Amino acid sequence: MQELRVSSDTSAFEVPAVLDAQRRLTGDCTARALAMMDTHGLVVLTGLLSEAEADFGLELTRRTIEDPDRSHSTFASETDNSYKRRDFCSLPANAEVNGFAAMLAQRLEGIYREFCGLSRPVLEVATFTSYLGSSHQYIHRDPAGVISLFAALEDVSQAQGGTVFVPGTHLYGGMENTHGGQARALMELFRILCNARIFRHNLTKLRAMRGSTATPLAPGEFRDRVFSTKWDQHQPNLLRFLTGKNAQFSLRNLTPGTLWKLYRNRDELTRLFALVQAAPRKGSVILYRSDLMHAGPDNRSPQPRRFFGMSIARDMIERKYWHDGYSPHPTLQANPLTLGDLLEMPPAPVQAAPQQECALAG
Ligand SMILES: [Fe+2]
């Protein structure tokens, strides 16, 4: 996005995955990944999955995406979902999907055990697809107390809209005392600054899509994305913006006092915080603390952007609040899984690609 400065350099948050003979992350690699998550709130584990493993996962997600009876997620932009700009849906808790989730959990066991107890629930296993013309989500935090995972099952380019993060904005004990005791306030100011630009970007884009032959709007789509009063946290709906009903960004966020603080702290905000967009290669896995500020950008390419996602609780989580941010498949609700279950379950029987064997630790 032109108005928003976003770095595409994620090298400071990457750890190349090194596996042991049991195909689990080595102790050294686990320690490096944990340090990254503590410091920045996220880690990008490059090359965690072999080609064959990523292909296996991609086939599982394809099957769900092609299923007319798939179970849509309810928390993202429902308007984008309804106009096929996004397709966020949960995967059924069948043997293959559970096996793939188990393979990931077991490979990352050292990290998961550090954050999550064995009895903590798997909140969702899902696939997140964005198509050309989707809205750029507002910068937000997911419900706290969760470790979320995105796996790139194919290469994701910048234009396809790899996730944007604001490293270092995760919430932890004593965080309030950082940045001269102003951490919370400064993070919120930065979020407002970004979201004002995202609001403008989404409106400008929708105006350009009117009459566009490359990205035509569906009948009623402009009205539903700009003038509807329906609940949707990630559209630039003007009425919800003006009446302060969008919890992510609205006129309420732009009081004279806030505008003055934004002006007064403009240099400090740029010095302290930055937006970083991941464009992970096939087989890379991103782990992040759910309270880290982030957003799913718009897909600006004709190629659909797909991610596999899995979220596991770190703490007890109030059920209604859980469903605000995560959409477990009905089969997962009927047969709940915990981290302990995933660690004991037989993993998906996928052959490792020969070239990855050389990355194994001795
Ligand atoms: Fe999110």
Side-chain angles (χ1 to χ4, degrees), residues 75 137-138 140-143 150 163 234 288 290 292 294-296 325:
F75 60 89
Q137 284 186 337
Y138 285 125
H140 63 280
R141 301 181 195 272
D142 290 341
F150 288 146
T163 314
H234 295 289
Y288 69 98
S290 58
L292 182 71
H294 65 279

Side-chain angles (χ1 to χ4, degrees), residues 164-292:
V164 167
F165 293 97
V166 191
T169 55
H170 52 305
L171 309 175
Y172 53 89
M175 176 278 291
E176 286 84 355
N177 300 330
T178 62
H179 305 321
Q182 296 297 307
R184 282 263 194 179
L186 290 170
M187 285 175 192
E188 193 52 27
L189 281 177
F190 185 74
R191 196 170 83 90
I192 291 168
L193 186 67
C194 294
N195 285 344
R197 290 170 179 171
I198 289 169
F199 174 72
R200 195 170 60 188
H201 168 78
N202 281 334
L203 276 180
T204 306
K205 176 175 169 160
L206 279 163
R207 269 207 314 270
M209 283 165 71
R210 292 177 93 184
S212 154
T213 48
T215 327
L217 288 164
E221 184 176 358
F222 189 82
R223 182 197 62 222
D224 281 351
R225 292 175 68 176
V226 180
F227 296 111
S228 171
T229 54
K230 272 191 289 188
W231 183 90
D232 192 317
Q233 306 276 49
H234 295 289
Q235 295 294 337
N237 276 324
L238 293 172
L239 292 175
R240 294 189 72 84
F241 169 77
L242 291 171
T243 55
K245 287 192 173 161
N246 189 328
Q248 295 301 338
F249 182 68
S250 75
L251 201 54
R252 278 173 195 257
N253 298 118
L254 299 176
T255 62
T258 302
L259 292 174
W260 168 242
K261 284 179 196 160
L262 280 170
Y263 176 75
R264 204 181 56 191
N265 291 289
R266 63 195 183 285
D267 294 336
E268 185 75 341
L269 293 175
T270 311
R271 190 179 66 77
L272 292 174
F273 307 114
L275 294 165
V276 177
Q277 184 176 12
R281 308 283 300 170
K282 180 176 181 177
S284 291
V285 164
I286 301 169
L287 281 168
Y288 69 98
R289 297 168 51 123
S290 58
D291 49 21
L292 182 71

